[in-house]
Amino acid sequence: MKLRNKLSLTFAMVVLFTVALLALLSNLFINSEFKKYIAAQQEQSARDIVALIGAQYGGAGSWDLGMVNSIGLKAMEAGFIVTVYDNEQNILWDAIQCDMAGCMKVINNIEARMRQQYPHMKGEFTSRDYTIMRQGVAVGTAKISYYGPYFLSDNDSNFLRSLNTVSFSVGLTCLILSIAVGLYMSKRISEPISKAASAARRMSNGDYTEHIEAENDTAELTELVDSVNHLSKVLSYQESLRKQLTADVSHELRTPVTSMQTHLEAMLDGIWEPTRERLESCYEEAARIGSLVKDLEALARIEADGFSLNKDWISLKKLWSKTINIFELELEDKNLSVTLDGDAREIFADEERIQQVAVNLLSNAIKYTPDGGIINITLTETKYHVLFSVADDGIGIPGNEIPFIFERFYRAEKSRNRKMGGAGIGLAIVKSIVLAHGGEVKADSFPDKGSVFTVTLPNG
Ligand code: ADP
């Protein structure tokens, strides 16, 4: 069943149940209160009739029988059958004797109406005797019969009927409204969900192009739509990186492989003498491929690990001394001097990875600094961070290229760098590792003046 139908159905069911319950309870309550009220009213009417008859006593056994007659007839019309006796039990006035046909009509009407409206009520005409009092003295008895425990006049039953009609119409209106609102609400809720679902399906088929637009003010749904959009962006970015990587790798490999192939071919065909120089050139190309593969391996390892870091407390000063030692030969070869200044407290980090950062930065500094240059490594700390910078007085990087040097395969002034052997992966590795530690890395550089790479790492 579709979410939308399910939601609207549930909504309608809940409202239907509530409205039905409300209508039932209010009906029961109103009916029972109304009946009590009517019963009390009838009892009061009977007493009023008795009091009115009492007022017709003229004293010394005399009655205004004309008035008693009209009171009795009026009472009969209202459903009260009256018989009046004097103190000696003589009948003074009797409704049945007076107007038998009228009485029967009233009785039959009331009985028929009550039986129709309340078939389960066991009502019947009952009589009660009331003592007629006049100035505190009993002057006779009135026997009053009416349909009990209560009966409804035409007006009363009309009133009840319109009350029921009103509650039924209110219930029906609520139900229709609730169905309309339910349909609208469930459409609003289900729309972004189904859009997100179909976007996810498209993504699983490799289509990351579509951006879902779903107007909604429900926080969770907005979050869902945003997450799906973000996911599609990330996947599409990764997809383009993957394609880019393949293109870059083949491009990087093509040059050395072609050059090696043509050289070797020429030597095999006897066009070229296999001199030491030519063999050395082939060896250099092979070495270039070797180092590219090594870089790629390092990058792949870092990215494949999902940056699981093996953290421990490490001293940056010790780490840098070790790193400088690794490059002793190269430094001597190029007659470069290295200084290590400052200090910083220990940080909680992955030693091997941070060492890799140091190695990459120092090897770049060595690579891009001409013979006799100076490299300064400085350690500092702030309240929440420790920093190290690697400054050289080498060839520098053009300002417009600085934003790109941390991207894979990016080499500033490409022609110049192919000579130097880098594949443009070292700084991408540096950036990945530093970001994985929650830190940041930046470069400042001026062509022919030198470069400074600064890494900031959080304490913990
Ligand atoms: P590569 O293997 O080419 O050195 P990197 O990712 O380490 O790749 O560096 C990217 C580019 O940034 C380099 O090709 C180079 O142009 C520039 N670069 C990096 N470090 C320095 C530096 N210390 N001095 C000058 N240029 C640098």
Side-chain angles (χ1 to χ4, degrees):
M1 193 183 208
K2 277 193 156 187
L3 176 67
R4 188 179 159 186
N5 298 344
K6 211 168 186 167
L7 278 176
S8 358
L9 200 73
T10 316
F11 206 75
M13 294 284 282
V14 170
V15 174
L16 185 70
F17 180 72
T18 316
V19 166
L21 195 71
L22 224 84
L24 187 79
L25 288 181
S26 65
N27 217 285
L28 280 179
F29 179 74
I30 289 172
N31 265 342
S32 79
E33 285 305 300
F34 189 69
K35 283 171 197 163
K36 263 191 231 156
Y37 163 78
I38 294 283
Q41 198 66 23
Q42 275 160 0
E43 175 64 22
Q44 186 56 44
S45 299
R47 287 182 192 287
D48 287 349
I49 293 167
V50 174
L52 265 177
I53 294 173
Q56 308 316 316
Y57 182 70
S62 74
W63 291 81
D64 183 344
L65 288 177
M67 278 306 285
V68 171
N69 179 46
S70 61
I71 294 167
L73 288 176
K74 250 207 138 68
M76 184 186 82
E77 278 167 26
F80 298 91
I81 312 298
V82 183
T83 313
V84 183
Y85 302 88
D86 65 9
N87 274 342
E88 281 74 45
Q89 295 302 313
N90 300 317
I91 295 179
L92 290 176
W93 189 85
D94 181 12
I96 298 179
Q97 273 176 19
C98 180
D99 184 359
M100 171 98 147
C103 277
M104 289 322 287
K105 203 174 141 208
V106 168
I107 291 172
N108 289 340
N109 265 352
I110 292 179
E111 267 183 344
R113 190 164 57 232
M114 293 306 283
R115 224 170 270 134
Q116 186 200 353
Q117 282 189 4
Y118 299 101
H120 301 300
M121 189 175 103
K122 287 194 190 74
E124 54 186 1
F125 268 85
T126 45
S127 310
R128 230 186 104 183
D129 288 344
Y130 297 85
T131 310
I132 306 172
M133 303 293 284
R134 177 73 181 165
Q135 288 164 351
V137 184
V139 292
T141 314
K143 183 191 185 89
I144 299 186
S145 319
Y146 60 88
Y147 196 86
Y150 61 88
F151 67 89
L152 300 183
S153 69
D154 265 348
N155 280 346
D156 296 337
S157 41
N158 281 346
F159 173 74
L160 265 191
R161 205 171 304 125
S162 36
L163 207 70
N164 285 341
T165 317
V166 166
S167 43
F168 178 75
S169 336
V170 168
L172 194 71
T173 316
C174 283
L175 189 66
I176 294 172
L177 264 178
S178 75
I179 291 176
V181 172
L183 279 172
Y184 173 73
M185 290 282 295
S186 48
K187 181 172 183 277
R188 275 186 72 92
I189 293 177
S190 65
E191 198 177 66
I193 296 181
S194 52
K195 275 190 179 174
S198 54
R201 206 174 315 117
R202 277 195 306 278
M203 274 188 246
S204 69
N205 291 331
D207 174 8
Y208 312 115
T209 47
E210 206 167 315
H211 177 87
I212 346 174
E213 296 285 352
E215 260 183 49
N216 206 286
D217 46 17
T218 313
E220 288 83 353
L221 294 177
T222 317
E223 210 177 303
L224 172 72
V225 169
D226 288 351
S227 314
V228 172
N229 281 337
H230 180 70
L231 182 68
S232 111
K233 236 192 251 164
V234 170
L235 286 176
S236 127
Y237 178 66
Q238 285 184 349
E239 173 80 357
S240 70
L241 272 189
R242 195 178 58 77
K243 285 184 184 151
Q244 182 70 30
L245 182 69
T246 322
D248 285 341
V249 170
S250 48
H251 180 257
E252 289 301 318
L253 287 175
R254 194 177 330 116
T255 323
V257 169
T258 320
S259 125
M260 233 162 62
Q261 200 178 352
T262 45
H263 286 195
L264 289 173
E265 240 169 39
M267 287 186 254
L268 282 173
D269 293 348
I271 302 170
W272 271 6
E273 274 295 304
T275 60
R276 183 182 174 82
E277 249 168 52
R278 285 173 180 153
L279 286 174
E280 255 173 15
S281 147
C282 284
Y283 174 79
E284 267 167 30
E285 297 295 358
R288 200 196 303 278
I289 298 172
S291 95
L292 171 66
V293 170
K294 213 172 89 200
D295 279 353
L296 279 173
E297 261 173 6
L299 189 65
R301 210 170 37 240
I302 285 166
E303 295 189 346
D305 269 9
F307 299 118
S308 67
L309 299 173
N310 185 10
K311 287 187 176 181
D312 208 343
W313 288 101
I314 57 169
S315 150
L316 287 178
K317 186 110 187 178
K318 277 191 202 152
L319 183 141
W320 267 107
S321 310
K322 245 198 297 184
T323 313
I324 295 170
N325 282 340
I326 297 173
F327 287 95
E328 221 180 322
L329 274 180
E330 283 92 332
L331 290 165
E332 245 172 52
D333 261 4
K334 289 186 82 172
N335 194 23
L336 297 169
S337 65
V338 180
T339 58
L340 176 57
D341 302 320
D343 202 353
R345 59 180 169 273
E346 292 200 336
I347 54 163
F348 195 61
D350 185 328
E351 181 164 15
E352 209 183 308
R353 295 273 164 81
I354 300 294
Q355 171 109 48
Q356 171 95 62
V357 170
V359 165
N360 288 9
L361 291 180
L362 187 56
S363 85
N364 276 354
I366 295 172
K367 220 175 347 179
Y368 301 112
T369 305
D371 291 9
I374 299 168
I375 298 170
N376 290 316
I377 296 155
T378 315
L379 306 180
T380 43
E381 62 179 30
T382 64
K383 196 167 172 196
Y384 299 111
H385 296 97
V386 292
L387 295 88
F388 60 81
S389 63
V390 183
D392 61 58
D393 57 356
I395 58 174
I397 308 161
N400 58 344
E401 303 208 34
I402 293 179
F404 308 109
I405 53 173
F406 292 100
E407 311 229 329
R408 291 177 191 163
F409 294 107
Y410 191 86
R411 291 181 308 210
E413 293 184 9
K414 292 194 179 211
S415 53
R416 167 185 93 181
N417 282 298
R418 176 148 294 141
K419 220 168 44 211
M420 300 198 178
I425 291 177
L427 287 181
I429 293 177
V430 166
K431 189 176 168 190
S432 301
I433 294 176
V434 172
L435 287 186
H437 278 83
E440 56 186 55
V441 52
K442 69 178 177 96
D444 298 294
S445 184
F446 289 101
D448 301 325
K449 294 238 159 53
S451 318
V452 185
F453 285 85
T454 310
V455 171
T456 309
L457 292 169
N459 276 339

